[in-house]
Amino acid sequence: PRNNIMAHRRGRVGVGRAGPKFTKKAEEIKAVTLTSAIETVEKLEVKLAEFAKKHRKEIQHDPAFRKKFLEMCAPLGVDPLSSEKGFWGKMLGIGEFYYELAVKVAEVCLASKSRNGGIISVSEVKHILTKRGTKFQFAHVAVDSQQKGCQYSEEDIITSIKKLSILGSGFRTIEVGTSVMIVSVPTELDHDHMEIMKIAQDSDSGSELGCVTVKDVCDDTKWNKERAKRALDLLLSKGMAWLDVYEGMESYWFPSVWKESSDSSKQEN
């Protein structure tokens, strides 16, 4: 046993003496790895810049191509939207485009606020801008419906809202069922409010599309009447819902949902 203890002690001393060597070697490996990673990122940034120069027109004019390019930039920490004066801003100008788009989107949101309480679908905003024939620095919208599509997408609108939200404007996007909505008021919408608007999107809920009753909400969610009424009353007080009373029956209409479905039907026809 004594020999075992001595051997164990010797082993511990040996490791202690080798410790600084291992630490130094680990630091060297870490430094080499970090340097290699930085060089790799720098090379990728150069390749990205070359790609951007080569495909400048596609990035500017093709929404799908632009989306993929921004997805390529994200892992490298490159933000072509951050500055209009920097390298990316001068070469592509998409930062300026998103700024212009954000301003136009904000105008639509604020102009419709009295009707929808400050919540509007991205698809409705796009429909309004397209109908107006809104044009930008390099993304010209095809006003003629026979021309193939327009030069900015719903994804571009969502990106422009993110640019606004960074500035603390209060604008943000939320997902409600199958739709993305833009909220331009500070009202916090919780799960119950989102669930009710989701029910309003469902044509199988029992009421007309864009409309719900307390009974619809209770049947769909299994909530009690008080919970459903509380959530509906907040949406009503903020102007996000309208109350229609017919023969004693209270129906809650959501302009943002109803208008979106109406615009979609017109586009299909």
Side-chain angles (χ1 to χ4, degrees), residues 92-125:
L92 297 174
I94 56 176
E96 181 64 25
F97 160 66
Y98 279 114
Y99 171 76
E100 287 184 66
L101 181 57
V103 170
K104 296 297 183 184
V105 169
E107 286 175 358
V108 172
C109 292
L110 296 175
S112 62
K113 188 176 176 181
S114 61
R115 171 173 60 82
N116 54 37
I119 182 168
I120 184 171
S121 69
V122 170
S123 62
E124 185 185 345
V125 170

Side-chain angles (χ1 to χ4, degrees), residues 11-243:
R12 290 181 63 186
V13 171
V15 170
R17 287 175 179 172
K21 293 181 180 178
F22 283 122
T23 302
K24 185 179 179 181
K25 190 64 178 175
E27 288 175 352
E28 288 175 358
I29 293 171
K30 186 177 179 181
V32 170
T33 303
L34 180 61
T35 302
S36 177
I38 292 172
E39 288 177 353
T40 301
V41 170
E42 287 175 348
K43 287 177 182 177
L44 287 172
E45 285 181 350
V46 171
K47 291 287 185 184
L48 188 65
E50 291 173 353
F51 178 87
K53 286 179 181 177
K54 183 178 179 181
H55 299 282
R56 182 171 178 269
K57 288 186 177 180
E58 290 94 331
I59 293 169
Q60 289 182 338
H61 295 281
D62 185 340
F65 200 97
R66 182 160 56 244
K67 180 186 175 185
K68 290 295 182 183
F69 175 71
L70 292 177
E71 288 174 355
M72 287 168 60
C73 292
L76 297 176
V78 174
D79 184 8
L81 313 184
S82 61
S83 173
E84 288 77 37
K85 296 180 181 179
F87 168 74
W88 293 102
K90 289 178 180 177
M91 181 171 68
L92 297 174
I94 56 176
E96 181 64 25
F97 160 66
Y98 279 114
Y99 171 76
E100 287 184 66
L101 181 57
V103 170
K104 296 297 183 184
V105 169
E107 286 175 358
V108 172
C109 292
L110 296 175
S112 62
K113 188 176 176 181
S114 61
R115 171 173 60 82
N116 54 37
I119 182 168
I120 184 171
S121 69
V122 170
S123 62
E124 185 185 345
V125 170
K126 182 171 179 288
H127 176 77
I128 292 171
L129 291 177
T130 304
K131 193 174 179 180
R132 287 181 181 176
T134 305
K135 296 181 180 180
F136 300 94
Q137 187 175 3
F138 59 74
H140 297 296
V141 180
V143 180
D144 185 353
S145 60
Q146 298 302 313
Q147 294 180 26
K148 291 185 177 180
C150 72
Q151 297 303 305
Y152 60 92
S153 64
E154 291 185 13
E155 191 67 35
D156 284 328
I157 291 174
I158 293 170
T159 300
S160 74
I161 289 298
K162 288 177 182 176
K163 192 173 176 70
L164 272 180
S165 64
I166 292 171
L167 301 176
S169 61
F171 283 77
R172 63 194 186 280
T173 57
I174 58 173
E175 290 188 15
V176 179
T178 57
S179 303
V180 178
M181 300 281 187
I182 300 170
V183 181
S184 56
V185 290
T187 305
E188 287 298 325
L189 300 176
D190 63 20
H191 171 268
D192 287 6
H193 306 130
M194 310 276 261
E195 191 64 29
I196 286 173
M197 286 191 285
K198 184 178 176 182
I199 294 168
Q201 290 179 337
D202 186 4
S203 58
D204 297 326
S205 63
S207 297
E208 291 184 55
L209 197 63
C211 175
V212 298
T213 63
V214 172
K215 183 179 183 301
D216 292 334
V217 175
C218 292
D219 288 347
D220 199 273
T221 62
K222 309 306 178 189
W223 299 344
N224 59 40
K225 186 177 178 180
E226 288 71 25
R227 180 177 176 180
K229 195 77 168 63
R230 184 169 58 249
L232 282 165
D233 284 346
L234 182 135
L235 293 167
L236 186 65
S237 69
K238 299 300 180 182
M240 296 180 181
W242 297 349
L243 178 62

